[in-house]
């Protein structure tokens, strides 16, 4: 099928890229070449309108944004010998045989356009079920009797045909199969509205693609379901009903129908640069410094604000949406981003990583669709995929590069987890791949991490002195006095002990030495020996509080971070008792 282009004084129509451009505006529409032929044959477009038809045998890019709900899917008139079409070509049924039932869609399928197939009739007399996929061979260029017996492998062994058998458990009667092809050539599928995942890959999307179906085995009849919600990203409202076509339509009517449609290209419909920003909730108490995005970006994302902090991925893509920080992130800093847009039609989450390669020297064409392939480059790259698999609009994601090269992650300032360890001696640029269900992000900025300082415990020192009576003698009476100081005094100071005597003239025997076990001071009576701030300092970094216990000796002398570093050294020993450290246990004080 060729590509028709029509020009008039007001409208240019170019099918198969099938673009209709009104010269007085930037609105564009897409139409299928077959529909344009019908318009011409019905007299809607003709010589009276000075239309000039150019037949150009060239290929589309595969981005057929014209395939809308206004142009429903039907089965092509070209099909295998055992296929019977009914219900206005929406249903295809296989005859008595189990083969020769290959069929196609009546028009090409757009990239990311979902095809819905309902299993109208099934059987249990055969083995195997429906085979489905895509082909870039125009069905109009072949003859039905020339089609082979099976799609797999008779057609898939030829260039331009890709198909695979569906799992038999999915082919139950009245189940609805949906599938689509991405820009990268991956065919995704699901059943009854629930996505299952990747079906196969390798489809060439640089030319028009028709859906390829083989009504095989226990699948008896299938039908296109066109009343499902459209998942195309380039949406237009459906044109007024023009079928059946008749000669009463004029070019004026066609032009009015075209200009009434709201054409939205790519992600422009969902991008509102002047939309109010979502307020910062979970990190509102921090002072941020701006961290704009670098000039280098992936091919499927763009920065939409003058401060270069908001980036949005093209709505018909799901990958290769890289953004880089404008400068390296320093140790001790953390960068916070905010989720501004989510697309539930995709699976997978945001990818995050670091590179020591200055983005100025990176060619955007070299950035791969799969961020894992960055690890194959000769420069220093680290990446962690699916960081946020279930995002919500307004979520705030924090990435903290600690002083020891540990990268910590938290969502909405809650649970902190470790993502990776990096070489802190290198300059490290942050990058994100706005992937999968994350559609739009904003860089809130960077801030310096300030570790929390534990409060100094308030202790009340006191001294208690106990004086025991002298040993009893036959000539004297035992005397004793116990005095407890009612006032708080500095540690180490004892009050004098006065032992009254019955007779002042007799010498008073001095009290016996105080037993050591009965003398208590504040240092000896404190329950927690590390409650004092000086005793609570880590003996390694002298910055953080002691919050770890060493196993098996049980000593508490380091913070958890330093204890882990010491334990990971070969032959690690406790700095107090020199016993081998088998494990480190983090402790929490109430």
């Amino acid at each position: 099928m060729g590509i028709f282009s029509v020009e008039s004084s007001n409208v240019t129509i170019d099918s198969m890229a099938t673009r209709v451009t009104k010269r007085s505006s930037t609105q564009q529409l897409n139409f299928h070449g077959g529909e344009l032929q019908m318009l011409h044959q019905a007299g809607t477009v003709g010589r009276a309108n000075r239309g000039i038809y150019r037949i150009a045998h060239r290929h589309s890019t595969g981005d057929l944004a014209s395939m809308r709900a206004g142009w429903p899917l039907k089965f092509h008139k070209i099909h295998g010998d055992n296929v019977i079409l009914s219900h206005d070509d929406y249903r295809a049924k296989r005859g008595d045989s189990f083969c020769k039932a290959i069929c196609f869609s009546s028009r090409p399928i757009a990239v990311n356009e979902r095809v819905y197939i309902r299993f109208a009739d099934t059987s249990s007399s055969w083995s195997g079920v429906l085979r489905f996929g895509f082909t870039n061979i125009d069905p109009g260029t072949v003859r039905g009797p020339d089609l082979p017996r099976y799609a797999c492998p008779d057609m898939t062994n030829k260039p331009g045909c890709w198909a695979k058998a569906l799992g038999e458990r999915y082919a139950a009667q009245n189940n609805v199969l949906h599938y689509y092809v991405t820009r990268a050539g991956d065919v995704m599928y699901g059943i009854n509205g629930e996505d299952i995942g990747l079906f196969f890959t390798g489809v060439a999307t640089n030319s028009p693609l028709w859906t390829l179906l083989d009504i095989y085995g226990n699948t008896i009849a299938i039908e296109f379901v066109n009343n499902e919600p459209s998942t195309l990203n380039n949406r237009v409202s459906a044109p007024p009903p023009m079928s059946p076509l008749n000669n009463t339509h004029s070019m004026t009517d066609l032009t009015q129908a075209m200009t009434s449609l709201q054409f939205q290209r790519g992600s422009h419909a969902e991008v509102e640069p002047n939309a109010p920003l979502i307020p910062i909730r979970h990190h509102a108490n921090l002072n941020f410094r701006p961290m704009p995005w670098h000039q280098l970006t992936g091919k499927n994302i763009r920065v939409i604000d003058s401060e270069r902090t908001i980036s949005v991925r093209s709505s018909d893509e799901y990958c290769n949406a890289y953004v880089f920080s404008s400068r390296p992130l320093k140790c001790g800093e953390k960068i916070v981003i905010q989720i501004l847009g989510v697309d539930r039609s995709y699976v997978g989450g945001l990818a995050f990583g670091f590179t020591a390669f200055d983005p100025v020297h990176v060619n955007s064409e070299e950035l791969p669709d799969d961020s894992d392939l960055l690890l194959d480059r000769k420069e220093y790259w680290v990446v962690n995929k699916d960081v946020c698999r279930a995002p919500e609009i307004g979520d705030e994601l924090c990435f903290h590069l600690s002083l020891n090269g540990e990268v910590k992650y938290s969502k909405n300032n809650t649970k902190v987890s470790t993502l990776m360890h990096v070489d802190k001696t290198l300059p490290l640029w942050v990058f994100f791949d706005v992937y999968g269900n994350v559609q739009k992000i904003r860089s809130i900025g960077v801030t310096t991490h300030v570790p929390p300082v534990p409060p100094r415990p308030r202790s009340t020192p006191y001294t208690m002195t106990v004086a025991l009576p002298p040993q009893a003698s036959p000539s004297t009476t035992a005397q004793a006095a116990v005095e407890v100081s009612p006032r708080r005094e500095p540690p180490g100071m004892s009050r004098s002990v006065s032992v009254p005597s019955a007779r002042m003239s007799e010498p008073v025997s001095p009290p016996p030495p105080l037993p050591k076990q009965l003398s208590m001071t504040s240092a000896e009576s404190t329950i927690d020996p590390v409650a004092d701030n000086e005793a609570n300092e880590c003996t390694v970094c002298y910055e953080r509080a002691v919050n770890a216990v060493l196993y098996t000796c049980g000593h508490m002398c380091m913070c958890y971070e330093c204890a882990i570093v010491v334990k990971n050294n070969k032959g690690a020993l406790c700095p107090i008792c020199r016993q081998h450290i088998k494990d480190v246990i983090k402790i929490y004080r109430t």
Side-chain angles (χ1 to χ4, degrees), residues 182-473:
T182 67
R183 176 78 62 191
D186 299 332
V187 176
M188 316 298 290
Y189 79 116
I191 297 293
N192 296 331
E194 181 177 352
D195 290 330
I196 297 177
L198 180 67
F199 191 54
F200 61 85
T201 187
V203 178
T205 59
N206 58 351
S207 58
L209 292 170
W210 286 259
T211 186
L212 168 63
L213 299 156
D214 187 357
I215 309 173
Y216 181 84
N218 285 326
T219 303
I220 304 300
I222 58 176
E223 61 184 19
F224 283 115
V225 180
N226 289 288
N227 58 352
E228 298 289 340
S230 175
T231 59
L232 287 177
N233 296 302
N234 299 332
R235 295 182 175 88
V236 296
S237 56
M242 298 179 62
S243 209
L245 296 172
N246 54 64
N247 293 334
T248 60
H249 291 79
S250 64
M251 176 58 77
T252 302
D253 298 331
L254 178 62
T255 304
Q256 291 176 351
M258 294 173 183
T259 57
S260 66
L261 300 180
Q262 299 175 351
F263 178 77
Q264 300 171 348
R265 182 78 176 171
S267 60
H268 294 214
E270 300 177 3
V271 175
E272 299 181 13
N274 298 323
L277 296 177
I278 300 174
I280 302 172
R281 296 184 300 164
H282 306 285
H283 297 84
N285 59 332
L286 300 179
N287 294 321
F288 287 100
R289 300 183 297 277
M291 176 64 90
W293 301 125
H294 198 277
Q295 294 293 332
L296 174 70
T297 61
K299 64 181 179 181
N300 295 327
I301 196 169
R302 63 192 187 96
V303 180
I304 63 173
D305 65 324
S306 58
E307 290 80 14
R308 295 193 62 81
T309 59
I310 302 176
S311 54
V312 59
R313 190 185 72 226
S314 300
S315 56
D316 58 346
E317 299 292 346
Y318 69 96
C319 63
N320 206 316
Y322 298 95
V323 288
F324 294 79
S325 61
S326 56
R327 66 164 177 84
L329 193 69
K330 301 176 182 177
C331 290
E333 288 185 332
K334 54 186 178 182
I335 180 172
V336 180
I337 67 170
Q338 188 178 49
I339 305 295
L340 297 183
V342 174
D343 188 347
R344 301 295 183 194
S345 62
Y346 295 102
V347 295
L350 187 77
F352 160 81
F354 284 98
T355 179
F357 194 48
D358 191 339
V360 171
H361 305 299
V362 178
N363 186 352
S364 61
E365 297 297 326
E366 299 175 355
L367 296 175
D369 290 344
D370 186 353
S371 56
D372 276 341
L373 299 180
L374 292 171
L375 304 178
D376 297 335
R377 295 177 61 97
K378 61 182 180 179
E379 309 92 14
Y380 181 86
W381 296 78
V382 290
V383 64
N384 192 305
K385 298 172 67 174
D386 291 340
V387 171
C388 184
R389 292 188 62 88
E392 298 292 342
I393 294 178
D395 281 349
E396 298 169 16
L397 312 183
C398 176
F399 302 87
H400 170 214
L401 176 58
S402 67
L403 297 176
N404 60 0
E406 183 180 14
V407 181
K408 300 179 180 180
Y409 161 75
S410 65
K411 176 180 175 182
N412 296 333
N413 204 16
T414 54
K415 183 179 179 181
V416 179
S417 59
T418 300
L419 291 182
M420 61 183 74
H421 290 78
V422 296
D423 187 351
K424 64 179 182 179
T425 63
L426 300 174
L428 297 172
W429 282 264
V430 179
F431 70 88
F432 297 93
D433 185 5
V434 186
Y435 181 89
N437 49 30
V438 179
Q439 183 82 16
K440 184 178 179 182
I441 64 173
R442 167 196 174 197
S443 171
I444 296 178
V446 296
T447 185
T448 303
H449 176 73
V450 179
V453 178
R456 178 186 292 271
R458 299 182 61 183
S459 60
T460 305
Y462 63 90
T463 301
M464 183 172 67
T465 304
V466 179
L468 297 179
Q471 294 182 355
S473 62

Side-chain angles (χ1 to χ4, degrees), residues 23-45:
R23 293 175 179 170
S24 61
S25 68
T26 59
Q27 290 181 332
Q28 295 180 346
L29 296 175
N30 292 332
F31 284 86
H32 180 237
E35 301 290 349
L36 187 60
Q37 283 183 316
M38 294 171 63
L39 292 176
H40 170 57
Q41 293 170 358
T44 304
V45 180

Side-chain angles (χ1 to χ4, degrees), residues 53-165:
Y53 292 82
R54 299 193 309 269
I55 301 179
H57 296 284
R58 58 184 173 86
H59 293 295
S60 166
T61 61
D63 183 15
L64 302 178
S66 62
M67 309 314 160
R68 303 287 188 262
W71 308 104
L73 277 178
K74 297 184 179 183
F75 287 99
H76 203 283
K77 297 295 184 182
I78 302 299
H79 50 72
D81 291 341
N82 288 327
V83 174
I84 303 171
L85 300 183
S86 62
H87 296 73
D88 195 21
D89 296 341
Y90 285 108
R91 176 177 292 188
K93 182 177 181 180
R94 191 184 73 237
D96 294 335
S97 175
F98 64 92
C99 60
K100 298 285 285 185
I102 295 174
C103 50
F104 309 91
S105 59
S106 59
R107 62 165 175 81
I109 307 299
V111 170
N112 291 321
E113 178 185 5
R114 295 200 176 195
V115 178
Y116 290 88
I117 299 288
R118 188 177 75 87
F119 291 88
D121 190 12
T122 60
S123 171
S124 59
S125 303
W126 308 91
S127 62
V129 292
L130 179 75
R131 277 84 164 128
F132 68 93
F134 293 94
T135 179
N136 59 17
I137 300 175
D138 185 353
T141 62
V142 298
R143 295 175 61 250
D146 295 337
L147 291 173
R149 293 165 61 89
Y150 311 107
C152 303
D154 295 346
M155 292 195 69
T156 55
N157 284 340
K158 299 178 181 179
C161 296
W162 304 269
K164 185 179 174 182

Side-chain angles (χ1 to χ4, degrees), residues 22 61 65 101 163 240 258 292 351 405 464 482 496 532 538 573 577 587:
K22 185 180 179 184
T61 61
M258 294 173 183
M464 183 172 67
V482 177
S496 60
D532 185 76
C538 174
L573 300 177
C577 66
I587 61 173

